[in-house]
Amino acid sequence: MIQVEEAIRIVQEQTHSLSVERVGLDQALGRVLAADVLADTDLPPFDRAQMDGYAVRSEDFAEVPARLRVAGEAAAGRGWRGRLQAGEAVRIMTGAPLPAGADSVQQVELTRELEGGAVVEIDCATTPGQFYVRQASEISAGETVLRAGEEINAAKTAVLASFGCAEVPVYRRPSVAVLATGTELVPVNEQPGADQIRDSNSYSLAAYARLAGADVMRLPFAGDEPELLRQAIAEASSSADVLVLSGGVSMGVYDFTKTALRSLGAEIFFERVSLRPGKPTVFARLPCERQTLVFGLPGNPVSVSVTFNLFARTAIRAMQGCAESALVREWAVLARPARGALERTSYLPATLGTDEEGRLLAEPLKWGGSSDFVAFARADALVIVPAGIKTAEAGSVVRVVRLPG
Ligand code: AMP
Ligand code: MG
């Protein structure tokens, strides 16, 4: 039995980033950058007015109010090309380049036009640098603004747009196949008969895989037939980078996932993790052209969610070249006691909040165990209680990981 951290490390070690493709900026949201992005211009590209008002020379304010001759107008996208002389002002709009010779801007609210706009009276003096943003004060041309391995969010699309990245180099999205095993399963649109249940895992797995950035296909059920399972796995391996199986990895008489994997010549990297829930998690690679990675996850709906996000998600993120592929661990204060286990590290569903001092607070859910997916649906994080700790007390500081979505 291996530790969770060790299992995550093995997943990262066995996973390689996929090829790079270029997508239009409109399609880049949620993708992972495959190359650093450099600024191709200064930002701002010129000294840029921050206010509507008048561009002036601060030394012209020996007396206030000052009367200055209006020499012209600078608008956004249409600057004033002259040079400001002593005693002059230029009417200026937000976003316009500061005219040569000016060293500051006064806001329009403190001014009055006289003589039909030929002269402006300004109530307050300016200081050099006032109300404009200096060229290159935010970024200089040539600086790195985004790095390979960063996920592109909405704010970063503005950065890409500003520096002319109409096409963005990103890693290919992994294709993920989801295969549910279990003779007891019926599709969601059917009424379960005696001894049957509706399949929920293939939906939660598909949803988590999409959140991780994958293209997902849900395959027809494989039942609990060794030969059917073998065929389904072999078929999936031709088109999937990652195959996620639910169920059939425990010690039951009808748990055939590992048998099927072995008969296909799969290399099994681990098959028992010191984790509650999720001990019988299997990680393997098929000897096919795609070198498909396989995650065999224990079928209990909560186990499936926990083990997917710890292990399969890590592979899906690493395939996209994510700098940080595994879930990030944070510290939180326990709001209620959390029960651990002697032999395995527990990952327990919890909700997050903050206490009066603003510290992250984790409240473990009252739940019925690894089949209680209705309770689990309210969780937004997992509290980690290391093996050997019987009870983590309220008020103690624990590690947590946030659940995606
Ligand atoms: P297994 O890992 O196959 O032994 O399954 C463990 C438990 O999870 C059993 O109670 C199964 O009925 C349940 N289970 C397995 N697959 C699914 C699924 N796709 N959706 C919901 N529950 C499942
Ligand atoms: Mg089963």
Side-chain angles (χ1 to χ4, degrees):
M1 198 151 72
I2 62 170
Q3 299 303 313
V4 173
E5 291 77 11
E6 170 73 353
I8 290 172
R9 202 183 51 72
I10 293 171
V11 169
Q12 287 169 327
E13 224 169 66
Q14 298 301 332
T15 307
H16 307 289
S17 52
L18 299 176
S19 56
V20 175
E21 60 189 18
R22 301 179 77 81
V23 297
L25 184 50
D26 274 326
Q27 309 304 317
L29 186 68
R31 305 297 295 268
V32 180
L33 268 177
D36 291 353
V37 175
L38 305 184
D40 73 337
T41 62
D42 292 339
L43 272 193
F46 43 81
D47 292 341
R48 186 176 61 200
Q50 236 176 341
M51 290 275 179
D52 297 322
Y54 287 85
V56 294
R57 297 153 22 99
S58 54
E59 58 204 275
D60 283 345
F61 289 90
E63 289 169 19
V64 282
R67 286 192 174 198
L68 303 173
R69 191 178 79 77
V70 178
E73 181 181 283
R78 195 166 33 79
W80 183 71
R81 292 293 156 233
R83 183 173 189 89
L84 207 64
Q85 305 297 329
E88 287 183 344
V90 163
R91 195 177 299 115
I92 196 164
M93 319 299 154
T94 303
L98 190 78
D103 69 355
S104 50
V105 171
Q106 189 53 287
Q107 62 196 98
V108 70
E109 291 84 346
L110 300 177
T111 70
R112 225 162 297 104
E113 285 189 351
L114 305 175
E115 298 174 27
V119 170
V120 61
E121 189 173 65
I122 302 181
D123 292 335
C124 289
T126 62
T127 52
Q130 176 178 316
F131 294 150
Y132 76 92
V133 188
R134 256 175 236 280
Q135 177 173 351
S137 63
E138 291 160 1
I139 286 289
S140 298
E143 270 185 68
T144 302
V145 287
L146 297 173
R147 296 201 179 273
E150 285 186 50
E151 185 175 332
I152 299 166
N153 61 17
K156 288 174 191 176
T157 60
V159 178
L160 292 164
S162 283
F163 298 114
C165 299
E167 298 224 302
V168 189
V170 294
Y171 291 98
R172 181 165 71 74
R173 286 187 187 281
S175 68
V176 172
V178 176
L179 179 57
T181 74
T183 310
E184 71 276 32
L185 302 180
V186 298
V188 60
N189 55 351
E190 279 181 25
Q191 190 63 40
D195 310 333
Q196 293 183 317
I197 57 167
R198 289 197 183 95
D199 158 48
S200 60
N201 287 346
S202 73
Y203 288 93
S204 55
L205 286 171
Y208 280 128
R210 285 197 185 98
L211 284 175
D215 287 327
V216 184
M217 46 191 165
R218 285 188 316 104
L219 304 177
F221 299 152
D224 283 316
E225 292 276 331
E227 189 44 38
L228 199 65
L229 192 54
R230 193 185 126 97
Q231 276 173 25
I233 294 173
E235 211 169 294
S237 68
S238 65
S239 57
D241 301 302
V242 177
L243 171 61
V244 183
L245 293 141
S246 109
V249 287
S250 303
M251 302 296 282
V253 179
Y254 300 102
D255 289 332
F256 293 123
T257 301
K258 283 191 272 185
T259 318
L261 288 173
R262 288 210 174 88
S263 76
L264 288 164
E267 185 178 354
I268 294 183
F269 301 110
F270 59 76
E271 52 189 303
R272 272 155 60 91
V273 185
S274 171
L275 170 62
R276 183 183 74 128
K279 175 168 140 186
T281 300
V282 179
F283 174 48
R285 182 168 50 223
L286 289 164
C288 56
E289 204 186 313
R290 273 187 183 253
Q291 300 275 292
T292 303
L293 296 179
V294 183
F295 292 88
L297 310 180
N300 262 315
V302 176
S303 312
V304 142
S305 298
V306 170
T307 54
F308 177 90
N309 283 302
L310 290 176
F311 308 119
R313 179 185 179 278
T314 300
I316 293 168
R317 304 294 286 167
M319 282 179 168
Q320 292 168 89
C322 280
E324 196 140 38
S325 54
L327 292 176
V328 177
R329 282 157 187 254
E330 297 169 68
W331 295 105
V333 178
L334 267 184
R336 296 200 297 115
R339 195 126 47 85
L342 278 188
E343 289 184 341
R344 290 183 276 156
T345 297
S346 304
Y347 278 65
L348 306 171
T351 56
L352 294 180
T354 47
D355 66 9
E356 306 80 53
E357 279 116 66
R359 295 177 305 176
L360 190 62
L361 206 60
E363 178 158 4
L365 288 172
K366 294 196 174 85
W367 68 314
S370 57
S371 60
D372 189 357
F373 56 89
V374 178
F376 185 80
R378 280 187 289 275
D380 39 32
L382 301 170
V383 163
I384 305 171
V385 183
I389 295 178
K390 217 171 134 195
T391 307
E393 299 297 345
S396 61
V397 176
V398 291
R399 291 284 210 177
V400 298
V401 290
R402 284 176 208 261
L403 285 165

